[in-house]
């Protein structure tokens, strides 16, 4: 017997049946939002698995992690953005009040030449009215400069400043619904989609969730919608030719089915250029994280991928590079706040600012990668330019010169195993995370109810791992310490710190995988704790990457890593040398050819120069101790750092039913 259906105006609840215009829907609850999914027919119920459903509009429950994380990230970003707007409003009010007082003083100082009587009173009043109008005009101009989206009235009355979000590819509208429900300072969210059935679904869900006052439903091509907004702003000028009030979004969210590359140019121009947030998902991991389609990757992201175990981190940097180059054409610079490789996709959060001066640092923050993909897997980076600090004429600070870089950084053969090196890139070579932003998101997570955010354990584990993988250079550590001391003392940080942050690169961009290296050397894989202990004992820092379980990220050079593995084989896990073929990378890395040379030397033959240099290198290498205790991380707090497969046949699922352009998705 079919469940009793309720009207669409009924209060939303999970698993309820809704009847509307002759159709029946089942309510699915996620976060604080409820969406209506068409109820399967009796025939479908018999033929489909329990985890399947007939989808007219795409809905993937596995993506709840993405949506939970995005809500928390927008909350962390938005609170700071709203505070800055409110501070700007307060500052403007003080400026306005001072201008009014000065204008009033000028009026009082003017001699009163008016005649007595009604005409005189009128003559006295009119100049004051004109002055007031002039003052109000000046006020409006100031407010527009300080915060283009706020009107003078809003600033004076102290109302909450506007905070707007664009869900450019909305599908069922679930993201927009969750933003409207769960972000308290949000004033409006635009849910846009090209597919007519998706738009009808969004309208239905908005009505059922009673969010007509916050969610604006738009039926348009995402590119057309964003470019229309851009064109409108370019045409909007005041009588003096200056830009008027902006309608750009505080947050633009791109979550396509596949690549987001076609939308990036419009997106960087549609988000506010005073620090707006751009959220981007790319699910085409077969392009940016594999070596099967380098030509496709280059056409979409402007760079070539790698054939390596760290390909997903390369994918993150390729996506950031494509966003950066799209923004730089318009004098916009990006600051990556959080960049994650999750399951089958990438999710990045970047701040966009108008700063032609900061754009000059871009060449020195992009790099090529030389990768020994057919041999030992070692890599080396080559930055396209150099951002070189030089002392200024006064000697009181530094300024940056943007110069050519020397190259190449490696020979055509790998210095460790002799195999051929291949190039990848260009890609983003700066920091991919902001520690401050991650800490703020973790702070939001502490207050997030688990019945609303069902993936809190995984979010906490991945964010903590991302925070730990940031290895600052000694110079950056000193700068951070100086900034903290300045803040504690109530002083403003040195302006030089800002330029240093703009020039900062990531000298340790990738991780290595011990199991893969062990396979090359034909040895048993060392446990994580002894391996970390050995590297830490030599004075290097060791952490893990959020991209892959079992990964190791360190500031140790490759020569030290190979030395540690050779010592592991010598001390703990001897290998059968007969199983390692001469000429292979493992044979060269373990220097197995030296035994024959030593035998020849014992017979009176002179040792070759190559052997003499290798012996000298071995004498200078430090002693390695596999200290398991030193290598253990703090495990007092249990974290879910990596996701297990949630169910059988999970993944990106198929595209929703409907004809749409190739650059659109239904999620």
């Amino acid at each position: 017997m079919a469940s009793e259906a309720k009207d669409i105006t009924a209060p939303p609840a999970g698993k309820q049946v809704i009847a509307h215009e002759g159709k029946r829907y089942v309510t699915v609850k996620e976060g604080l939002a409820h969406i209506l999914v068409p109820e399967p027919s009796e025939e479908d119920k018999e033929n489909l698995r329990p985890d399947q459903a007939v989808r007219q509009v795409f809905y993937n429950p596995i993506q709840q992690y993405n949506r939970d994380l995005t809500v928390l990230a927008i909350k962390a970003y938005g609170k700071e953005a709203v505070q800055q707007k409110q501070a700007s409003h307060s500052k403007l009010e003080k400026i306005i009040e001072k201008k009014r007082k000065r204008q009033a003083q000028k009026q009082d100082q003017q001699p009163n030449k008016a005649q007595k009587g009604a005409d005189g009173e009128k003559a006295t009043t009119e100049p004051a009215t004109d002055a007031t109008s002039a003052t109000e005009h000046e006020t409006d101009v100031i407010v527009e400069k300080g915060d283009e989206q706020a009107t003078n009235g809003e600033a004076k009355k102290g109302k909450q400043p506007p905070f707007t979000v664009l869900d450019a590819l909305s599908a069922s509208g679930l993201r927009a619904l969750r933003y409207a429900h769960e972000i308290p300072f949000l004033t409006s969210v635009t849910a846009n989609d090209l597919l007519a059935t998706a738009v009808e679904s969004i309208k239905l869900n908005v009505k059922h969730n009673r969010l007509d006052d916050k969610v604006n439903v738009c039926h348009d091509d995402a590119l057309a919608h964003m470019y229309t907004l851009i064109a409108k702003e370019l045409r909007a000028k005041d009588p003096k030719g200056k830009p008027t009030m902006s309608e750009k979004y505080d947050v633009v969210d791109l979550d396509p089915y596949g690549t987001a590359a076609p939308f990036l140019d419009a997106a960087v121009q549609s988000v506010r250029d005073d620090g707006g947030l751009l959220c981007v998902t790319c699910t085409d991991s077969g392009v940016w994280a594999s070596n099967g389609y380098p030509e496709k990757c280059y056409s979409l992201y402007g760079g070539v991928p790698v054939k390596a175990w760290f390909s997903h981190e390369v994918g993150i940097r390729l996506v950031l590079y494509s966003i950066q180059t799209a923004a730089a054409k318009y004098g916009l610079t990006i600051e990556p706040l959080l960049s994650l490789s999750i399951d089958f996709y990438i999710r990045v959060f970047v701040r966009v600012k108008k700063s032609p001066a900061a754009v000059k640092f871009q060449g020195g923050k992009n790099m090529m990668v030389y990768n020994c993909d057919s041999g030992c897997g070692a890599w080396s980076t080559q930055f396209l330019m150099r951002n070189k600090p030089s002392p200024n004429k006064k000697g009181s600070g530094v300024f940056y010169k943007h110069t050519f870089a020397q190259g190449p950084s490696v020979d055509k053969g790998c210095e460790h195993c002799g195999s051929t090196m291949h190039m990848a890139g260009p890609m983003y070579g700066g920091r991919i995370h902001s520690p401050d932003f991650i800490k703020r998101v973790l702070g939001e997570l502490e207050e997030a109810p688990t019945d609303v955010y069902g993936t809190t354990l995984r979010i906490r584990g991945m964010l903590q791992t991302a925070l730990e993988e940031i290895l600052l250079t000694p110079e950056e550590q000193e700068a951070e310490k100086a900034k903290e001391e300045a803040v504690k003392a109530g002083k403003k940080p040195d302006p030089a710190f800002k330029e240093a942050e703009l020039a900062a690169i990531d000298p340790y961009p990738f991780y290595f995988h011990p199991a893969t290296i062990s396979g090359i050397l034909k040895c048993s894989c060392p446990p994580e704790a002894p391996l970390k202990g050995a590297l830490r004992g030599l004075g290097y820092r060791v952490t893990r990457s959020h991209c892959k379980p079992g990964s190791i990220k360190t500031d140790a050079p490759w020569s030290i890593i190979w030395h540690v593995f050779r010592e592991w084989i010598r001390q703990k896990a001897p290998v059968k040398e007969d199983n390692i073929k001469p000429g292979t990378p493992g044979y060269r890395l373990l220097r197995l050819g030296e035994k024959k040379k030593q035998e020849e030397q014992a017979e009176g033959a002179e040792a070759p120069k190559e052997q003499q240099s290798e012996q000298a290198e071995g004498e200078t290498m430090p002693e390695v101790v596999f200290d398991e205790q030193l290598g253990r991380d703090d495990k007092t707090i249990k974290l879910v750092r990596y996701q297990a497969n949630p169910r059988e046949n999970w993944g990106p699922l198929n595209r929703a039913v409907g004809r749409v352009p190739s650059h659109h998705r239904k999620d």
Side-chain angles (χ1 to χ4, degrees):
M1 181 177 176
S3 302
E4 183 180 354
K6 297 183 179 180
D7 187 74
I8 195 168
T9 57
K15 298 182 180 181
Q16 67 182 172
V17 178
I18 299 294
H20 181 69
E21 296 182 351
K23 298 180 181 179
R24 291 170 63 90
Y25 303 88
V26 178
T27 303
V28 177
K29 183 178 184 294
E30 182 181 296
L32 296 179
H34 300 77
I35 64 169
L36 301 176
V37 178
E39 185 181 37
S41 64
E42 294 298 327
E43 182 181 354
D44 290 332
K45 291 178 181 178
E46 293 178 0
N47 297 330
L48 296 179
R49 297 195 310 269
D51 62 336
Q52 289 181 318
V54 176
R55 296 192 316 279
Q56 292 179 340
V57 175
F58 191 90
Y59 169 67
N60 187 356
I62 301 301
Q63 284 284 66
Q64 181 179 355
Y65 175 82
N66 187 328
R67 291 183 283 267
D68 285 353
L69 175 64
T70 303
V71 172
L72 294 171
I74 294 177
K75 277 177 146 181
Y77 159 80
K79 285 183 178 179
E80 183 183 40
V82 169
Q83 287 176 358
Q84 290 175 350
K85 288 184 179 184
Q86 291 172 338
S88 176
H89 290 169
S90 299
K91 186 177 179 180
L92 288 171
E93 287 177 9
K94 292 179 182 179
I95 295 173
I96 293 165
E97 189 61 29
K98 286 181 180 179
K99 280 187 170 288
R100 285 176 177 164
K101 287 181 179 180
R102 286 198 299 267
Q103 191 66 34
Q105 290 175 358
K106 289 180 181 179
Q107 292 298 323
D108 293 340
Q109 291 172 1
Q110 290 179 359
N112 188 1
K113 298 180 181 180
Q115 298 177 358
K116 294 181 180 180
D119 294 338
E121 291 177 4
K122 184 176 180 181
T124 305
T125 304
E126 284 177 353
T129 303
D130 294 340
T132 304
S133 300
T135 304
E136 289 177 353
H137 176 70
E138 291 177 358
T139 298
D140 291 339
V141 173
I142 294 170
V143 173
E144 287 175 5
K145 288 182 179 179
D147 187 346
E148 293 175 342
Q149 284 194 338
T151 63
N152 184 29
E154 287 171 339
K156 289 192 295 183
K157 295 177 183 177
K159 289 183 179 179
Q160 177 182 321
F163 188 87
T164 59
V165 177
L166 170 63
D167 183 12
L169 304 147
S170 199
S172 64
L174 178 56
R175 283 178 182 271
L177 296 173
R178 290 197 60 180
Y179 297 159
H181 272 302
E182 300 168 29
I183 302 175
F185 48 81
L186 182 142
T187 53
S188 71
V189 54
T190 299
N192 176 78
D193 205 280
L194 179 63
L195 195 62
T197 54
V199 174
E200 292 303 316
S201 177
I202 296 170
K203 291 179 179 178
L204 204 60
N205 288 325
V206 169
K207 185 175 182 180
H208 187 53
N209 283 265
R210 304 175 180 181
L211 291 171
D212 301 84
D213 58 331
K214 275 193 173 183
V215 181
N216 303 316
V217 183
C218 181
H219 183 195
D220 200 356
D221 185 289
L223 290 174
H225 177 80
M226 290 187 282
Y227 279 127
T228 300
L229 174 65
I230 296 164
K232 181 179 179 182
E233 181 153 321
L234 290 173
R235 295 190 186 102
K237 306 286 182 181
D238 65 11
K240 295 182 179 180
K242 295 181 179 180
T244 58
M245 187 174 62
S246 173
E247 296 182 8
K248 288 184 176 181
Y249 295 99
D250 292 274
V251 180
V252 172
D253 190 353
L254 300 177
D255 186 34
Y257 187 98
T259 179
F263 304 101
L264 296 179
D265 182 83
V268 296
Q269 298 180 78
S270 300
V271 71
R272 285 178 63 99
D273 59 11
D274 59 352
L277 181 66
L278 179 60
C279 314
V280 179
T281 300
C282 291
T283 65
D284 55 330
S285 57
V287 174
W288 42 256
S290 76
N291 61 310
Y293 307 96
E295 76 289 350
K296 183 68 173 177
C297 186
Y298 183 80
S299 66
L300 290 176
Y301 302 106
V304 178
V306 297
K307 179 184 178 182
W309 51 68
F310 52 89
S311 60
H312 282 77
E313 194 158 358
V314 168
I316 290 175
R317 295 183 179 278
L318 286 169
V319 172
L320 290 174
Y321 173 77
S322 64
I323 298 173
Q324 184 192 57
T325 51
K329 296 191 292 288
Y330 307 103
L332 300 169
T333 184
I334 69 164
E335 178 192 358
L337 300 178
L338 180 62
S339 310
L340 300 174
S341 173
I342 309 167
D343 301 333
F344 54 86
Y345 61 92
I346 280 174
R347 183 67 165 168
V348 299
F349 301 86
V350 299
R351 180 183 281 128
V352 180
K353 285 186 177 180
K354 185 80 170 180
S355 178
V359 171
K360 295 178 181 179
F361 289 84
Q362 175 176 309
K365 299 187 74 168
N366 294 326
M367 64 183 183
M368 303 296 295
V369 175
Y370 294 95
N371 179 39
C372 182
D373 52 12
S374 60
C376 65
W379 48 263
S380 178
T381 60
Q382 168 71 66
F383 282 84
L384 304 182
M385 290 179 61
R386 293 177 62 198
N387 296 319
K388 184 180 178 181
S390 301
N392 58 23
K393 293 182 179 179
K394 295 182 179 179
S396 58
V398 298
F399 71 97
Y400 279 82
K401 292 182 178 180
H402 311 288
T403 63
F404 295 100
Q406 294 180 351
S409 58
V410 297
D411 198 356
K412 63 180 181 180
C414 176
E415 63 177 307
H416 306 289
C417 71
S419 301
T420 303
M421 301 289 281
H422 289 107
M423 292 178 64
M427 64 187 73
Y428 185 73
R431 299 289 181 186
I432 63 174
H433 305 305
S434 165
D436 293 338
F437 183 75
I438 294 177
K439 290 175 183 176
R440 292 206 307 271
V441 179
L442 285 170
E444 291 294 329
L445 189 64
E446 294 301 320
E447 302 174 1
T450 55
D451 60 331
V452 176
Y453 300 90
T455 61
T456 53
L457 292 177
R458 189 187 178 194
I459 292 176
R460 182 178 289 106
M462 181 167 278
L463 290 184
Q464 188 62 41
T465 305
L467 186 63
E468 293 171 0
E469 75 181 19
I470 302 172
L471 298 175
L472 299 178
T473 62
E475 294 78 11
E476 288 175 322
Q477 290 175 344
E478 291 179 6
E480 287 295 323
K481 186 177 179 181
K483 284 173 63 177
E484 290 177 2
E485 291 176 354
V487 172
K488 288 181 181 179
K491 300 178 181 178
K492 290 184 178 181
D494 190 336
F497 291 152
K498 184 177 181 181
E499 286 197 332
E501 289 176 354
L502 291 174
I505 60 173
D506 191 346
Y508 326 111
F510 306 122
Y511 56 89
F512 71 88
H513 202 236
T516 306
I517 289 181
S518 299
I520 294 170
L521 300 177
K522 308 298 182 184
C523 70
S524 60
C525 182
E528 186 176 291
L531 180 58
K532 287 183 175 180
L535 290 168
R536 287 171 179 165
L538 295 175
Y540 298 100
R541 292 172 293 167
V542 186
T543 183
R544 55 170 63 85
S545 171
H546 76 276
C547 293
K548 195 168 187 177
S551 58
I552 297 289
K553 201 164 191 179
T554 178
D555 56 356
W558 275 104
S559 58
I560 292 294
I561 295 172
W562 294 124
H563 175 60
V564 168
F565 271 86
R566 281 192 289 265
E567 286 298 298
W568 166 256
I569 292 172
R570 186 180 69 83
Q571 298 180 29
K572 304 289 186 180
V575 298
K576 293 183 179 180
E577 297 177 3
D578 295 339
N579 294 339
I580 304 177
K581 296 180 180 179
T584 61
Y587 187 87
R588 298 191 191 103
L589 290 166
L590 294 177
R591 300 170 180 172
L592 298 181
E594 292 183 12
K595 285 189 175 181
K596 184 177 180 181
K597 296 176 184 178
Q598 290 173 356
E599 291 174 358
E600 292 175 354
Q601 186 179 12
E603 294 174 0
E606 184 180 354
K609 291 183 179 180
E610 182 181 353
Q611 180 185 347
Q612 293 175 5
S613 63
E614 289 175 350
Q615 289 175 346
E617 181 185 349
E619 292 172 0
T620 59
M621 279 295 185
E623 181 183 357
V624 178
V625 178
F626 293 93
D627 190 338
E628 187 172 346
Q629 189 65 31
L630 181 61
R632 286 177 180 168
D633 297 322
D634 183 13
K635 294 187 177 181
T636 55
I637 301 176
K638 300 292 183 181
L639 296 173
V640 181
R641 295 183 183 271
Y642 305 100
Q643 171 69 30
N645 289 351
R647 70 185 187 199
E648 185 182 2
N649 299 321
W650 72 289
L653 300 183
N654 296 324
R655 189 188 295 270
V657 178
R659 290 187 176 183
V660 293
S662 60
H663 60 268
H664 274 268
R665 67 98 173 135
K666 298 293 117 218
D667 99 305

